[in-house]
Amino acid sequence: MTAGPAKEVGQARKRKEDARLITGKTTWTDNMVLPGMLHLAVVRSPVAHAKLGTIDVEAARSAPNVVAVFTGRDLAEEQGSIPCAWPVTPEMVNPGHPSVAVDEVNHVGEAVAVIVARSKTAAQDAVELVDVDYDPLPVVLDMERALAEGAALTHDHVASNESYRWIFDAGEAGTGSSTDEAFAKADVVVSRRFVQQRLIPAFMEPRSTVVQPQGDNYTMWSATQVPHILRIMLAMTTGVPEHKLRVIAPDVGGGFGGKLQVTPEEVITLLVAKRLGKPVKWTETRSESLMSAHHGRDQIQYVDIAADREGNVLGLKVHLLADMGAYLRLVTPGVPILGAFMFPAIYKFPAYRFDCQGVFTNKTPTDAYRGAGRPEATFAIERIMDELAVELGMDPLELRRKNWINADEFPFTTVAGLEYDSGDYEQATQQALELLGYDELREEQRRRRESNDPVQLGIGFSTFTEMCGLAPSRVLGSLSYGAGGWEHASIRMLPTGKVEVITGSTPHGQGHETAWSQLVADELGVPFEDIEVLHGDTAISPRGLDTYGSRSLVVGGAAVVNASQKVVAKARTVAAHLLEASEDDLQFESGTFSVRGTPGSGVSIQEIALATFAAHNFPDGVEPSIDADATFDPVNFSFPHGTHICAMEVDTETGMVTIRKYACVDDVGKIVNPLIVEGQIHGGLAQGIAQALYEEAVYDEDGNLTTGTFVDYLVPSAADLPHFDTGNTVHEAPGNPIGAKGVGEAGCIASTPAVVNAALDAVRHLGVTDILMPLTPERVWRAIHRGGDGGDRATAGTNAYGGAQTETTAGVSTPESRLGGDR
């Protein structure tokens, strides 16, 4: 018997899409030129908080090639409010977010007027001619102070700077025991205050939008991750009927959550095109992107962990302050809530309480950034596990082994209520230790300490899991999310035997066109090269929920597989007719139907496609089509996991940190394309390490972003990063037909705590207990030579609310009242 073609799934195929992307043979949104197209530029507030007085636009309106100028007052009746799709509590305060400010500005960079001109340069020049009268108001920047009694308000029409308070108590939910009881009986309680600095997504392609009106129909091209969601939200915000609006996401140059948004500029461009009846383009400058596109992270985390003297964890308490910025964007309030389920991580905590306060400040709004809540949670739990190990005098890895879920305990329901379906933390850890050369590095560390080497060596761990495949619609509904989580796909069999795959999942660098082709090639038995993947256009792919939360393969790819299997089922009926056999007697292998026990008989699925098109010899009562659609809505998340280990050198004389070696082993379930997986891991590692060592969005006391260019906001290049030693274990996910778990965010989630733990391990014997991220040489030097955490503001001792920040107690619970609420 002749062997069939090799399976595509598992092959390290080079990406189909790369040829056009890396040679520039594609169309980014900003490349588009339409007849009669106008250009839009935005006048932005230079102050963080002020009442708007007179806005004099006459000089700008009279400038050469300027067509129109609009203020917020001109657009007030039609611009609506930027939508927030995640009201996390019924009481959540949403102050409203006009695309162009009408009466008040609330962060530097907020739009106050719009220039429309015949050229981009004319529009930009005219921005300088608009004269705005700002009446300054108090600026709110510090979350802890913002919640204090009598604090100035970010918005004067709301009662306080608290947007919401969301609490999960495992004891009350029935998924765990009482945290009060757990902490009361503990031998050791460790309390820490961690800071997740504010980050900027810094995608490669700036945001850009083009809108073309055609009568009362509108086509929008936008560099967006979410064309389907954008279409719905624009219709609801502007009143343009959904069926009159087409949204296209052409090739998109990266997103990292930063393009998971309905932006003010998308609303503005649509409204201006509607008013003028002409096509309009807006493309941001890089400084605009850093200043006014949404930011990520920005949390203060109070974490308490309770354990007995043997190192068995007994309970976990988390109190978050999450900076919303000035407004609530699409999923702003929900990002920290996603993290709520991941703080217990891979550990068997009997008791858990999570308490989150969303806080308004006069800064750029925050929203999803690669990992969205899960990196923040992973950082906190992996840092506090190291702190507990220090207090107990235990090896940090041994403490983790003592408390993590064992391989024979899956499926395992966590104290947060999630059911982890598969995994083996011990296997991944052992493989990572071997990749690192752990024993040799520990011996080198010992020698350096004994010799008082000025360059010390540390080793840091991050044993993690995450919830991926953001999808289960019922779960999202229980969290008050404004949409479902399903994904849709269609398979079209063309008469010539070629295949079109239409996916609702919209790529911006993930390799959908390649991976989807591999999936379909195996399901249908057609050549990889004969498959075309269509995406990102609501007219071509009318149903979908787009790309974020590591859901593309797990949910979108699963829909593609299910649709392919439906095609095979339909083709089976036609094949039985053509072969004059019973469907039950047919077998399908390598793209061909044949009758069992009858060598040489057979008809390929491509031949069936042509026979279906002709319909000359077709089964009675069967419509002539073998095309199929499928919508997949999983019943559970997927849970990739892994062990990341970083070896770090710290120069105690200069504060310079250098990654000596980085090893990681990830379990992402079944691997469709090893090359894509490795690329995703490498990219995630770069961003997670960047948070630990390089990146931070910084505001001055007046609310000005002082890191508004890449001169000041340090994004590392490949030259700044080490070689990565990577590996995989494979435990397939039972919740989807592929067995995949998701990979897009793993590296970003796991790497940050591994790096910080490594740096602290190198210098903890010198009295250092914490170092604020990013670990700049100055901060590391300060922590070594002056104590504290190396930041600009000391965090040792007590915070403004009397709660211990670096306190360790034995047999005593930590303060039960911080920031005005019970913990």
Side-chain angles (χ1 to χ4, degrees):
M1 181 175 178
T2 304
K7 289 292 186 182
E8 282 289 340
V9 170
Q11 287 195 44
R13 280 275 194 180
K14 291 184 178 180
R15 302 197 318 177
K16 283 185 172 183
E17 47 270 71
D18 283 353
R20 71 172 187 273
L21 294 176
I22 65 178
T23 59
K25 296 177 180 177
T26 188
T27 301
W28 310 105
T29 303
D30 190 43
N31 295 146
M32 296 191 62
V33 178
L34 300 175
M37 186 171 71
L38 302 174
H39 296 263
L40 189 151
V42 179
V43 181
R44 298 188 183 277
S45 171
V47 299
H49 197 196
K51 290 287 187 183
L52 286 176
T54 303
I55 302 177
D56 186 353
V57 301
E58 290 310 311
R61 187 174 282 134
S62 302
N65 288 312
V66 170
V67 173
V69 181
F70 301 103
T71 68
R73 290 159 192 166
D74 297 326
L75 300 172
E77 292 186 5
E78 55 190 312
Q79 69 176 335
S81 178
I82 295 296
C84 174
W86 205 334
V88 294
T89 69
E91 300 80 20
M92 185 187 82
V93 175
N94 184 350
H97 183 359
S99 293
V100 184
V102 178
D103 300 312
E104 182 176 306
V105 290
N106 291 289
H107 67 88
V108 169
E110 185 167 0
V112 295
V114 182
I115 309 291
V116 189
R118 293 185 180 87
S119 72
K120 183 176 182 178
T121 54
Q124 291 173 330
D125 289 345
V127 166
E128 305 298 326
L129 302 177
V130 176
D131 185 15
V132 184
D133 180 23
Y134 297 97
D135 184 9
L137 294 169
V139 178
V140 179
L141 298 172
D142 184 284
M143 284 190 283
E144 291 168 322
R145 296 192 182 109
L147 293 177
E149 187 175 350
L153 295 176
T154 304
H155 301 276
D156 60 9
H157 63 284
V158 299
S160 77
N161 291 313
E162 182 179 274
S163 173
Y164 67 86
R165 189 161 195 168
W166 191 93
I167 297 173
F168 175 85
D169 190 307
E172 295 176 2
T175 56
S177 55
S178 164
T179 50
D180 290 340
E181 293 175 3
F183 276 72
K185 69 180 183 182
D187 297 317
V188 175
V189 170
V190 179
S191 301
R192 293 290 185 270
R193 175 188 183 271
F194 301 127
V195 177
Q196 282 279 316
Q197 79 268 38
R198 180 174 278 243
L199 301 177
I200 300 175
F203 29 73
M204 186 176 291
E205 176 206 17
R207 296 176 301 155
S208 182
T209 300
V210 174
V211 176
Q212 182 177 39
Q214 297 163 304
D216 61 351
N217 290 274
Y218 303 88
T219 299
M220 172 183 284
W221 293 264
S222 186
T224 180
Q225 296 176 221
V226 288
H228 298 89
I229 292 173
L230 177 59
R231 181 193 190 204
I232 295 166
M233 292 300 179
L234 284 174
M236 296 174 69
T237 301
T238 66
V240 174
E242 184 181 354
H243 65 292
K244 298 290 187 179
L245 180 60
R246 176 184 182 185
V247 175
I248 301 171
D251 283 327
V252 175
F256 311 122
K259 293 173 183 172
L260 199 179
Q261 200 52 259
V262 179
T263 68
E265 295 83 5
E266 285 162 332
V267 173
I268 293 166
T269 308
L270 176 59
L271 292 179
V272 169
K274 182 182 177 184
R275 280 209 179 195
L276 300 181
K278 292 181 178 295
V280 177
K281 178 197 284 187
W282 169 80
T283 300
E284 68 184 352
T285 66
R286 183 60 69 179
S287 291
E288 279 184 298
S289 179
L290 296 177
M291 178 174 58
S292 60
H294 79 246
H295 295 169
R297 310 288 192 255
D298 206 346
Q299 294 181 1
I300 297 173
Q301 304 170 318
Y302 300 98
V303 185
D304 303 329
I305 191 169
D308 63 22
R309 288 187 180 88
E310 288 70 43
N312 298 296
V313 294
L314 302 177
L316 181 68
K317 293 181 183 179
V318 178
H319 189 179
L320 289 190
L321 301 186
D323 196 335
M324 305 287 98
Y327 298 109
L328 302 183
R329 291 273 179 98
L330 191 64
V331 295
T332 301
V335 168
I337 305 307
L338 280 176
F341 300 98
M342 298 314 302
F343 276 90
I346 65 173
Y347 307 114
K348 294 180 284 190
F349 281 99
Y352 171 55
R353 178 179 168 84
F354 173 89
D355 183 348
C356 179
Q357 289 175 279
V359 185
F360 290 121
T361 62
N362 291 119
K363 291 183 275 188
T364 300
T366 58
D367 208 289
Y369 175 63
R370 197 171 190 169
R374 289 105 74 205
E376 298 92 316
T378 299
F379 178 85
I381 188 62
E382 289 303 287
R383 284 287 297 109
I384 201 70
M385 289 297 284
D386 260 32
E387 298 301 305
L388 177 60
V390 170
E391 179 62 22
L392 292 168
M394 290 182 66
D395 179 273
L397 184 54
E398 183 57 34
L399 177 66
R400 287 168 168 82
R401 281 191 172 116
K402 192 177 188 71
N403 289 284
W404 69 34
I405 302 157
N406 296 315
D408 60 2
E409 294 178 294
F410 288 100
F412 184 91
T413 300
T414 74
V415 71
L418 295 179
E419 184 182 278
Y420 295 174
D421 49 24
S422 65
D424 189 330
Y425 308 136
E426 179 61 43
Q427 182 186 10
T429 300
Q430 186 57 42
Q431 189 173 326
L433 291 169
E434 292 167 4
L435 281 174
L436 188 78
Y438 177 72
D439 292 337
E440 294 83 356
L441 286 170
R442 278 295 188 205
E443 176 60 23
E444 181 181 344
Q445 179 187 48
R446 183 192 63 78
R447 292 197 305 268
R448 289 195 185 198
R449 287 193 179 179
E450 289 178 353
S451 64
N452 292 318
D453 193 318
V455 178
Q456 289 290 302
L457 179 67
I459 299 174
F461 293 93
S462 176
T463 50
F464 84 106
T465 190
E466 56 159 325
M467 51 192 284
C468 279
L470 189 62
S473 295
R474 293 184 181 183
V475 175
L476 295 176
S478 72
L479 295 173
S480 302
Y481 182 62
W486 49 265
E487 194 49 80
H488 187 76
S490 300
I491 305 291
R492 296 202 292 242
M493 293 295 302
L494 305 182
T496 55
K498 312 303 182 184
V499 182
E500 289 180 337
V501 180
I502 299 92
T503 176
S505 181
T506 304
H508 45 279
Q510 291 86 354
H512 287 32
E513 293 176 31
T514 303
W516 276 216
S517 294
Q518 289 179 272
L519 292 171
V520 173
D522 280 358
E523 293 294 331
L524 300 184
V526 298
F528 172 84
E529 296 77 12
D530 287 352
I531 300 167
E532 186 78 9
V533 179
L534 307 176
H535 55 78
D537 184 339
T538 61
I540 294 172
S541 171
R543 298 193 65 205
L545 285 169
D546 307 316
T547 297
Y548 43 86
S550 297
R551 68 189 303 272
S552 290
L553 182 62
V554 177
V555 188
V560 167
V561 168
N562 287 352
S564 299
Q565 291 172 351
K566 288 185 177 181
V567 168
V568 173
K570 285 186 173 183
R572 182 180 296 275
T573 299
V574 183
H577 176 78
L578 295 175
L579 294 171
E580 299 180 344
S582 168
E583 289 187 39
D584 295 336
D585 293 334
L586 295 186
Q587 60 185 14
F588 181 68
E589 186 174 352
S590 300
T592 297
F593 289 96
S594 59
V595 181
R596 290 185 183 89
T598 309
S601 68
V603 58
S604 72
I605 199 165
Q606 291 98 329
E607 291 171 320
I608 292 172
L610 182 59
T612 301
F613 169 75
H616 295 160
N617 179 16
F618 216 68
D620 292 338
V622 176
E623 65 178 52
S625 171
I626 58 171
D627 297 349
D629 301 292
T631 300
F632 181 68
D633 193 351
V635 297
N636 193 10
F637 299 103
S638 61
F639 299 98
H641 71 82
T643 296
H644 289 225
I645 315 176
C646 177
M648 176 79 77
E649 292 182 333
V650 179
D651 188 325
T652 60
E653 296 177 344
T654 66
M656 179 63 70
V657 297
T658 305
I659 296 178
R660 166 76 172 277
K661 195 167 185 180
Y662 196 100
C664 61
V665 175
D666 288 275
D667 192 322
V668 299
K670 189 169 186 177
I671 295 174
V672 173
N673 187 314
L675 198 61
I676 291 177
V677 167
E678 186 175 16
Q680 288 284 344
I681 292 291
H682 281 206
L685 290 174
Q687 286 186 277
I689 292 170
Q691 176 174 9
L693 300 183
Y694 301 110
E695 296 186 29
E696 182 178 23
V698 178
Y699 286 85
D700 67 15
E701 62 184 8
D702 296 319
N704 298 302
L705 182 67
T706 62
T707 51
T709 72
F710 283 150
V711 173
D712 307 294
Y713 187 84
L714 184 54
V715 177
S717 72
D720 300 302
L721 298 167
H723 169 79
F724 302 126
D725 293 290
T726 63
N728 297 102
T729 60
V730 178
H731 295 83
E732 294 190 12
N736 65 76
I738 303 170
K741 293 182 177 180
V743 67
E745 296 160 307
C748 191
I749 290 171
S751 56
T752 309
V755 170
V756 175
N757 281 340
L760 286 169
D761 185 57
V763 297
R764 197 182 287 275
H765 66 291
L766 302 176
V768 179
T769 58
D770 196 13
I771 307 173
L772 281 178
M773 295 187 294
L775 276 57
T776 61
E778 179 183 1
R779 283 180 172 171
V780 175
W781 187 93
R782 286 177 181 273
I784 294 171
H785 294 276
R786 299 184 182 180
D789 58 13
D792 300 322
R793 185 177 66 178
T795 57
T798 58
N799 62 37
Y801 298 88
Q805 299 183 132
T806 59
E807 168 191 13
T808 303
T809 61
V812 180
S813 188
T814 51
E816 289 300 317
S817 179
R818 290 187 191 159
L819 306 177
D822 293 336
R823 299 193 67 202

